[in-house]
Amino acid sequence: MKVTAAIINEANKNYQLEALTLGELYSDEVVVKMVASGICQSDEVVRTGKSSITPLPAVMGHEGAGVIEKVGSAVKDLNVGDQVVMAYNYCGACPSCRTGHPSSCSQWTTLNLSGARPDGSHIFFKADGTPVSSFFAQSSFATYTITNVNNLIKVEPEVDLRLVGPLGCGLLTGFGTVVNGLQPKTSSSIVVFGTGGVGLGALMAANIEGCSTIIAVDIHDSRLEIARELGATHTINSSTEHLGERIAKITGSLGVNYSIDTTGISSVMKASIDVLAIAGVSAPVAISKDSIAFNTFKDLSLTNRKLIGVLMGDAVPQITIPQLIRYHNEGKFPFDKLVKFYKFNDINQAAADSTNGQTIKPIVIMDENYRKEEPIGI
């Protein structure tokens, strides 16, 4: 099958739309006709060369939504025509998977970041036969793709696929980091550093979980305004305000019970620890080459603080994504306020708008005929 895909051929270069060929469909896989995909900063760190987690050339995209076009011979409970959201792949057989923590799958890196299937085979090929890496076993920046059944979450026919792709990564990560990772107590305090898709997903989750003090920190006033709309009780522009003094004033000099860093910037990650109260917990979740230095006794042990790792929100996508759709329908998770839609051939503009802060969550539309009678303003 011939497809059109947005390829990264070299680090720090723009996406190029190219004609590719899909490879063999395995028995536990499906072909998905893509409708839309969110752009996540994980895509951008690979494109810009800040991370080499997946070999190039590659078809990126891991917040996809589409319609099943073909199913493999071993696929059960999914059929041609089903609407699906796509998340990450996992083996389903290791101890982590079998105890409900598939994001801790022992094969997670191989399945999602190696660019190929575990047997080394590829999904995409150029006209000359050159293999092209996949990403998160879905590569949603394409008109059609092949993905594993473990990546898929079936959604109801009335769900608008143009909107829900970002639930597969950024919003899943933010929500799950709060609910599954930090597990905040009712009436506790939390600070979220960075109000992109992950940060605002975390902020909305903190509101759902009953945190009474929810602080959003960013350098973009426009994003902080949205944070207030979504439930932030306080906002701090760290480029114009003194972070430590503001948080001390807000918390009565006690510090916050929980913090999340979504920026990956060394000084911000350190600040997310420094602002913690006694017995506070911090979760850094950004993909970053940066590191931090801290004194384990002074910064952690002396005050009983904890620093935890949370991948993909420690969430089971097949459970959490339908839950997020329900929350959205109930007005509790209004992530539609974060999105802006772009045509597929404007993907480089979408990526640029995300990087410069103009758009919180860009969504590129591959199938403009999907629900054509319901325009979305692209």
Side-chain angles (χ1 to χ4, degrees):
M1 176 185 287
K2 300 293 184 181
V3 306
T4 300
I7 297 181
I8 301 172
N9 284 303
E10 299 178 58
N12 211 26
K13 299 292 184 180
N14 283 342
Y15 292 102
Q16 300 290 326
L17 293 185
E18 295 187 20
L20 302 179
T21 300
L22 285 184
E24 177 187 358
L25 178 67
Y26 280 23
S27 62
D28 59 349
E29 296 175 333
V30 305
V31 175
V32 177
K33 181 180 182 181
M34 297 306 307
V35 170
S37 177
I39 293 180
C40 178
Q41 282 305 301
S42 300
D43 301 309
E44 282 298 282
V45 296
V46 176
R47 186 189 68 79
T48 57
K50 294 178 181 178
S51 174
S52 56
I53 53 177
T54 294
L56 301 180
V59 179
M60 304 302 293
H62 60 290
E63 292 185 343
V67 179
I68 294 179
E69 184 86 0
K70 185 178 181 180
V71 298
S73 59
V75 173
K76 299 178 180 179
D77 302 322
L78 290 170
N79 299 289
V80 172
D82 285 346
Q83 293 203 142
V84 291
V85 176
M86 303 157 72
Y88 60 85
N89 194 7
Y90 53 91
C91 76
C94 71
S96 294
C97 287
R98 289 188 170 180
T99 54
H101 300 279
S103 68
S104 297
C105 174
S106 62
Q107 298 186 49
W108 199 94
T109 300
T110 298
L111 292 171
N112 292 285
L113 303 180
S114 69
R117 298 183 180 98
D119 66 2
S121 63
H122 285 76
I123 290 171
F124 297 100
F125 297 88
K126 294 197 175 193
D128 63 2
T130 301
V132 179
S133 292
S134 58
F135 195 53
F136 273 65
Q138 62 163 280
S139 291
S140 55
F141 294 164
T143 52
Y144 292 84
T145 191
I146 292 174
T147 190
N148 190 276
V149 292
N150 287 344
N151 283 76
L152 300 175
I153 301 90
K154 182 178 176 180
V155 297
E156 297 300 322
E158 61 268 20
V159 171
D160 191 338
L161 293 178
R162 295 171 297 187
L163 178 63
V164 294
L167 297 177
C169 180
L171 294 167
L172 180 78
T173 295
F175 178 86
T177 297
V178 172
V179 174
N180 302 317
L182 297 177
Q183 300 180 20
K185 295 180 180 179
T186 302
S187 299
S188 58
S189 58
I190 187 169
V191 58
V192 179
F193 290 89
T195 54
V198 175
L200 291 175
L203 188 150
M204 288 185 283
N207 199 23
I208 291 170
E209 293 295 286
C211 294
S212 60
T213 301
I214 303 173
I215 307 168
V217 180
D218 208 303
I219 59 173
H220 299 287
D221 285 331
S222 59
R223 291 193 172 195
L224 292 173
E225 178 62 31
I226 293 175
R228 284 189 287 270
E229 292 180 21
L230 297 179
T233 59
H234 303 79
T235 59
I236 301 173
N237 186 321
S238 56
S239 67
T240 60
E241 302 176 81
H242 191 285
L243 176 69
E245 291 178 0
R246 279 294 315 279
I247 290 183
K249 184 176 181 180
I250 293 167
T251 63
S253 298
L254 293 175
V256 293
N257 303 124
Y258 307 96
S259 69
I260 298 175
D261 173 67
T262 71
T263 71
I265 299 169
S266 295
S267 59
V268 182
M269 289 189 285
K270 181 59 167 61
S272 71
I273 299 174
D274 292 340
V275 299
L276 289 176
I278 292 174
V281 186
S282 181
V285 298
I287 295 178
S288 174
K289 286 184 176 180
D290 289 358
S291 58
I292 58 174
F294 59 89
N295 183 285
T296 55
F297 178 71
K298 176 185 175 183
D299 295 327
L300 298 180
S301 299
L302 187 61
T303 49
N304 284 305
R305 293 167 170 170
K306 297 180 179 64
L307 183 65
I308 64 171
V310 188
L311 180 64
M312 301 301 298
D314 193 19
V316 181
Q318 288 75 12
I319 295 173
T320 304
I321 289 176
Q323 181 183 19
L324 292 178
I325 292 173
R326 288 194 298 273
Y327 279 147
H328 176 262
N329 293 340
E330 295 167 359
K332 298 177 181 177
F333 200 78
F335 67 94
D336 53 295
K337 294 183 178 182
L338 315 181
V339 310
K340 181 179 178 180
F341 298 102
Y342 296 79
K343 294 179 182 292
F344 191 21
N345 58 10
D346 292 330
I347 188 171
N348 288 303
Q349 185 62 55
D353 289 351
S354 176
T355 299
N356 64 30
Q358 182 173 329
T359 301
I360 294 176
K361 177 53 67 175
I363 297 178
V364 291
I365 305 297
M366 288 77 178
D367 184 2
E368 293 183 32
N369 290 317
Y370 176 83
R371 297 193 180 179
K372 196 170 185 179
E373 70 283 0
E374 303 174 24
I376 55 172
I378 60 173

